[in-house]
Amino acid sequence: MRSLKLIIHREFLAKVKNRTFIIMTFVSPLIMVGMFFLVAYLANLNNSETRNLAILDESNLMIHDFVSSEKTKYHDFSTYSLTQALDSVKAKAYYGLLYIPKEDNIKALASKIELFANKTPNGAFVANIEQQISHKLTNKLLTQQGVNLSKIDEAQTQVSLKIENFSGEETSKMSMIIKMIFGGVAGYLLMMFIIIYGNMVMRSVIEEKTNRIIEIIISSVKPRTLMLGKVLGTSLAGISQFLIWVIIGSVLLGVVSTFLGGQLSSEVATANIPNALDQASMLKAQLVLQEILALPLGQLIVCFLIYFIGGYFLYSAIYAAIGAAVDNETDTQQFMFPVIMPLMLAVYVGFFSVIDNPHGIVAIVFSHIPLTSPIVMLMRIPYGVAWWEILISIAILIGSIFFFVWIAAKIYRVGILMYGKKPSYKELIKWLKY
Amino acid sequence: MLLVAEEVSKAYGNYTALNKMSIQVPKQSIFGILGPNGAGKTTFIRIINQITLPDSGKIWLDGEPLQPKHVQYIGYLPEERGLYKSMTVGAQALYLAQLKGLSKKEAKRRLEYWFERLEIMGWWNKKIQELSKGMAQKIQFIVTVLHQPKLLIFDEPFSGFDPVNANLIKDEILKLKEDGATILFSTHRMESVEEMCDYMALINKSNKLIDGKVTDLKQEYKTNTYQVEIVTQQQAELTEVLTTHFNLLPNKFSSIHQGEKFTIRLKTGQTVNQLLQVLIKYGEVHHFVEQIPSVNDIFIQTVTANA
């Protein structure tokens, strides 16, 4: 016990004092936030460009229906011929030319309208124009048939289904999205943690091998104690890193939101717009908050911790065994694939099967297989999973942890004293019998 | 007896690394396990250190069957030895000493004693990567002996040491023996430790060939061969007499004198004095030494005898 504590202490300090770790801990949240702003800025830059669209409407049907906005300016070129218009658009470097030929039959006209553009135009922009034209032509046809348009407008009905399960809990589309986000983020975070900290465990095992200190240490402590100490010490370092990220993240978020919020409210004040819009968004925010609070949050947090610790233990035992089996990091490649694969599989199953059908057979099976259960089950929990199902899954996970740690410890014991050649899977199995 | 091994065997798959190894190491002695590379020395030493478990056989340490708590009575300097590159000398010496069961305070006190004794106090806050290989080995030596183990095990102790440091370490090892420690060497460079060892065991291809007190073994394996240098006027006659009465061997030794050199083996029943009497008749004897078999000679003899 005493040596385990010593090893955990050393491993923790070795990780935390490492320069890369310190930089990662403090700089990566800044980079993340920076990236976020950069992406937002670039997206904004891309959209802020004003598009000039010339319209040559020979039919004279809808030239007056296009209303220029901030982002798209429409120019009436109806007095030109098509060739003149094209030359002029080119000379003025407009975004494009919309050509509506003369055609009395509206149905026929619909397939004859053309958009000329220098570059392939933005898909959303084309869709927008198409929608506008379609809307106008439909209305024209309807009026031709003697239909009163205002009656149609009146008759328009918006439908939003209220979804309720048999026990009477209400759900809505909003809550589906929120569940998806919560489950997805939890599952994805777990995968990232397992890969990052698992790799740390592996590297520190390899370090002891390449430094040739391993034999000195295992003449004092049992290899299993050393392995356990490494896994625990690294996980403590990981948890500290995570906590620091959470703190930095929430501080940054606070700063950003007060900054943005302040800007927003000052704009509102100067513009003096009636607050109808504001109220609507407030209502929406309240709804989101309600949905979040309606989630099994306590269960989610407890399960996140359990599955995080369980999954991390399971995988870092494997990582430690891999580290022991090889001499240097480049040799780990062939063993990495079987480790990464179940993790990737879990995330894919989570994002496709679980979100599609949280209680389908695929989701249920994968939330019980120990290598994928931490991620898949976490993604399922927001949709409501019976407690006994979670208990079974956790029991399987814990059982497998003991099994995998036992296997890993055997490979570890033999592997740390083997130098020189990269073992094959066959040899690893042989080691289990030594 | 401090350490007793009884028919210890270990196999890796189909390969037998060690076959029924038995030795007895008396208290306060230096015991050498000698043999070529791959003979099974390191396997045996790892079994004593409880790094590897034997398939069969028993080991006693100081009268008790070997068990996990014994690690604190053993100091082990493995052949593959290194230290954490990015830790400071002081921090990792403290860490390793604490793993052996010393309290932090006690470890620090003893480390200071050793660091001052070997005059390396200035290294305390340095990182291992700033030290030379020889310097790092001094630290490893200190860490090995710091917890005052009853049994010290050195696997290839002098590989990598320069002659000055090797001598320093040899002196320290002899002093540890005087202070009551028992020392187990393992090496394939037999000449490097033979003058230090009181007992030895020769192993080859996983099997023990012979073991016992070094002086007894040398006695047993001596061939009654003498190296002689004599200044004589009757060289031809002497050679003839020697060839007829004794076995004259090819001359392999060198000397700083200018006389005639012979390597002579006595025939069964002959005594040293008979040889001397013959020699004195022919001239002045400047050099007369019994050829004591080296561990290397004994090894080669037993290997060829067993083959």
Side-chain angles (χ1 to χ4, degrees):
Chain A
M1 252 353 255
R2 184 171 171 268
S3 31
L4 182 64
K5 225 176 89 188
L6 280 167
I7 293 167
I8 293 174
H9 185 73
R10 195 206 83 84
E11 289 297 327
F12 178 77
L13 283 184
K15 295 283 164 315
V16 173
K17 278 185 181 170
N18 185 297
R19 199 174 298 145
T20 335
F21 184 89
I22 296 172
I23 292 172
M24 272 287 286
T25 306
F26 290 100
V27 174
S28 58
L30 292 175
I31 292 177
M32 287 285 276
V33 172
M35 285 286 279
F36 177 77
F37 276 109
L38 188 71
V39 168
Y41 172 73
L42 287 179
N44 199 26
L45 198 71
N46 210 15
N47 279 337
S48 63
E49 179 192 0
T50 316
R51 295 196 178 98
N52 289 295
L53 184 69
I55 299 172
L56 171 50
D57 187 2
E58 288 176 353
S59 69
N60 213 12
L61 272 176
M62 55 189 109
I63 182 66
H64 303 296
D65 292 329
F66 286 100
V67 183
S68 291
S69 71
E70 214 175 291
K71 292 206 171 147
T72 320
K73 288 211 156 48
Y74 300 106
H75 304 272
D76 187 357
F77 274 37
S78 296
T79 50
Y80 298 162
S81 75
L82 183 56
T83 39
Q84 276 178 329
L86 277 173
D87 287 342
S88 172
V89 163
K90 242 185 257 170
K92 288 182 174 168
Y94 279 2
Y95 193 72
L97 170 74
L98 183 66
Y99 172 59
I100 304 164
K102 187 153 184 61
E103 172 67 64
D104 291 332
N105 184 340
I106 289 174
K107 280 272 182 200
L109 176 64
S111 58
K112 284 185 179 170
I113 300 172
E114 286 178 81
L115 177 66
F116 297 91
N118 187 18
K119 300 166 279 187
T120 310
N122 174 316
F125 176 75
V126 174
N128 180 298
I129 301 278
E130 277 174 348
Q131 203 200 343
Q132 284 192 53
I133 296 172
S134 143
H135 185 67
K136 267 146 217 173
L137 292 183
T138 313
N139 282 354
K140 283 263 163 18
L141 267 175
L142 284 172
T143 20
Q144 270 182 9
Q145 304 289 327
V147 179
N148 189 340
L149 285 181
S150 57
K151 293 265 180 203
I152 291 182
D153 281 346
E154 270 174 41
Q156 288 283 357
T157 322
Q158 286 282 339
V159 177
S160 162
L161 281 181
K162 204 163 111 187
I163 303 163
E164 203 170 325
N165 69 11
F166 294 130
S167 54
E169 284 174 46
E170 283 181 34
T171 44
S172 61
K173 227 160 82 192
M174 174 78 77
S175 96
M176 299 281 273
I177 293 171
I178 287 171
K179 283 172 182 173
M180 199 175 86
I181 292 175
F182 263 74
V185 166
Y188 197 75
L189 265 182
L190 198 68
M191 183 191 78
M192 295 303 293
F193 273 126
I194 287 174
I195 291 180
I196 292 175
Y197 299 116
N199 258 302
M200 271 192 201
V201 171
M202 187 178 78
R203 245 178 280 130
S204 92
V205 173
I206 295 176
E207 189 204 357
E208 276 172 6
K209 266 189 95 173
T210 47
N211 283 351
R212 301 286 199 261
I213 195 175
I214 187 76
E215 202 169 342
I216 295 178
I217 292 180
I218 57 170
S219 69
S220 312
V221 300
K222 283 209 178 88
R224 203 176 320 139
T225 315
L226 180 62
M227 190 176 105
L228 200 64
K230 279 187 170 306
V231 169
L232 288 175
T234 309
S235 69
L236 281 181
I239 289 169
S240 324
Q241 191 174 44
F242 183 63
L243 283 180
I244 293 172
W245 280 345
V246 167
I247 293 167
I248 295 182
S250 38
V251 167
L252 278 178
L253 210 71
V255 169
V256 167
S257 61
T258 44
F259 176 68
L260 280 186
Q263 207 177 36
L264 208 76
S265 59
S266 66
E267 256 174 42
V268 168
T270 48
N272 201 13
I273 306 165
N275 284 4
L277 199 86
D278 233 29
Q279 263 174 13
S281 63
M282 280 282 281
L283 218 67
K284 207 169 166 187
Q286 260 176 7
L287 206 71
V288 171
L289 203 68
Q290 258 174 22
E291 294 292 353
I292 291 176
L293 289 178
L295 286 178
L297 273 184
Q299 195 189 26
L300 197 63
I301 290 170
V302 170
C303 287
F304 183 82
L305 282 177
I306 292 175
Y307 279 110
F308 171 57
I309 294 168
Y312 168 78
F313 259 69
L314 189 70
Y315 275 96
S316 44
I318 301 175
Y319 271 107
I322 294 174
V326 300
D327 275 358
N328 53 59
E329 235 177 308
T330 40
D331 285 350
T332 61
Q333 300 300 339
Q334 65 159 338
F335 299 111
M336 277 339 295
F337 180 67
V339 180
I340 302 286
M341 207 189 61
L343 286 172
M344 296 298 281
L345 189 68
V347 169
Y348 281 126
V349 165
F351 275 118
F352 293 105
S353 281
V354 170
I355 285 164
D356 187 42
N357 182 2
H359 304 300
I361 186 79
V362 176
I364 289 177
V365 168
F366 276 94
S367 57
H368 286 84
I369 297 173
L371 285 171
T372 54
S373 69
I375 293 170
V376 177
M377 188 57 106
L378 269 185
M379 287 180 157
R380 280 184 67 200
I381 284 174
Y383 296 96
V385 180
W387 60 269
W388 56 267
E389 219 180 301
I390 296 179
L391 278 189
I392 290 175
S393 155
I394 289 177
I396 294 176
L397 181 65
I398 291 174
S400 324
I401 289 172
F402 280 104
F403 178 69
F404 273 84
V405 167
W406 179 72
I407 295 259
K410 288 208 144 200
I411 292 178
Y412 184 83
R413 248 188 55 185
V414 179
I416 44 180
L417 293 172
M418 294 273 179
Y419 290 108
K421 76 181 168 116
K422 190 167 66 167
S424 62
Y425 284 105
K426 220 168 117 192
E427 278 167 302
L428 289 187
I429 291 168
K430 231 161 79 187
W431 289 3
L432 297 180
K433 297 178 202 147
Y434 283 176
Chain B
M1 292 294 148
L2 184 80
L3 179 77
V4 177
E6 209 170 76
E7 306 218 312
V8 175
S9 299
K10 175 77 189 172
Y12 292 107
N14 293 326
Y15 174 70
T16 308
L18 202 63
N19 186 26
K20 295 191 175 168
M21 174 82 170
S22 304
I23 58 164
Q24 302 202 328
V25 182
K27 266 181 196 156
Q28 219 176 336
S29 66
I30 298 184
F31 194 105
I33 297 177
L34 311 174
N37 286 326
K41 303 183 300 280
T42 300
T43 303
F44 181 62
I45 276 176
R46 282 181 179 165
I47 289 172
I48 298 172
N49 276 298
Q50 305 177 71
I51 291 170
T52 320
L53 294 176
D55 296 338
S56 63
K58 286 176 186 148
I59 293 171
W60 284 271
L61 185 78
D62 214 0
E64 286 177 61
L66 194 67
Q67 44 195 286
K69 67 160 188 182
H70 284 142
V71 292
Q72 54 180 308
Y73 303 132
I74 300 177
Y76 174 41
L77 188 68
E79 183 182 5
E80 295 284 1
R81 45 187 179 246
L83 294 163
Y84 288 112
K85 284 213 170 57
S86 50
M87 261 178 118
T88 63
V89 171
Q92 65 186 314
L94 273 178
Y95 171 63
L96 293 170
Q98 286 181 80
L99 280 185
K100 277 288 184 190
L102 290 181
S103 72
K104 195 172 181 179
K105 214 172 133 192
E106 182 63 18
K108 191 154 189 208
R109 197 183 61 76
R110 291 194 197 179
L111 278 172
E112 274 164 3
Y113 163 79
W114 273 98
F115 273 50
E116 261 159 36
R117 173 131 167 233
L118 297 182
E119 295 168 356
I120 54 174
M121 206 56 210
W123 300 356
W124 188 271
N125 283 319
K126 280 198 176 154
K127 285 189 177 170
I128 290 295
Q129 53 202 7
E130 300 169 48
L131 301 185
S132 74
K133 200 177 167 195
M135 291 160 134
Q137 287 189 327
K138 271 191 190 171
I139 314 275
Q140 286 152 359
F141 179 80
I142 295 174
V143 169
T144 310
V145 303
L146 195 71
H147 56 291
Q148 297 176 343
K150 291 180 191 171
L151 177 63
L152 278 160
I153 301 175
F154 297 100
D155 198 355
E156 301 292 352
F158 302 113
S159 71
F161 275 112
D162 60 66
V164 177
N165 273 328
N167 265 334
L168 185 77
I169 298 301
K170 269 184 192 172
D171 291 345
E172 291 296 340
I173 290 174
L174 289 174
K175 193 167 175 301
L176 286 165
K177 180 193 157 191
E178 269 169 42
D179 294 345
T182 307
I183 289 130
L184 192 64
F185 278 132
S186 142
T187 182
H188 66 276
R189 289 178 56 231
M190 304 172 192
E191 72 288 352
S192 70
V193 293
E194 73 171 291
E195 81 253 31
M196 294 174 76
C197 289
D198 306 314
Y199 297 84
M200 67 176 189
L202 293 187
I203 57 176
N204 189 37
K205 293 184 182 161
S206 327
N207 285 292
K208 185 182 79 182
L209 300 175
I210 47 165
D211 66 337
K213 213 169 178 167
V214 174
T215 47
D216 292 351
L217 285 173
K218 293 204 167 182
Q219 194 70 34
E220 189 182 325
Y221 281 83
K222 75 173 184 184
T223 49
N224 293 325
T225 307
Y226 296 86
Q227 295 172 343
V228 174
E229 185 177 11
I230 183 166
V231 178
T232 175
Q233 307 301 320
Q234 304 142 283
Q235 192 190 335
E237 281 171 55
L238 175 61
T239 315
E240 206 195 313
V241 171
L242 287 175
T243 356
T244 41
H245 291 92
F246 304 92
N247 291 325
L248 204 59
L249 300 179
N251 189 18
K252 274 195 277 182
F253 73 100
S254 56
S255 134
I256 50 167
H257 296 287
Q258 294 303 315
E260 290 305 312
K261 302 186 190 82
F262 300 98
T263 304
I264 305 153
R265 179 172 292 168
L266 301 183
K267 288 185 175 167
T268 11
Q270 288 174 327
T271 65
V272 187
N273 280 357
Q274 286 173 327
L275 173 61
L276 271 173
Q277 279 164 6
V278 172
L279 290 170
I280 286 164
K281 275 190 252 168
Y282 288 89
E284 200 168 306
V285 178
H286 278 235
H287 180 99
F288 189 91
V289 169
E290 180 172 11
Q291 211 178 48
I292 297 168
S294 69
V295 178
N296 246 330
D297 297 332
I298 298 177
F299 182 77
I300 289 164
Q301 267 193 56
T302 46
V303 166
T304 39
N306 285 4

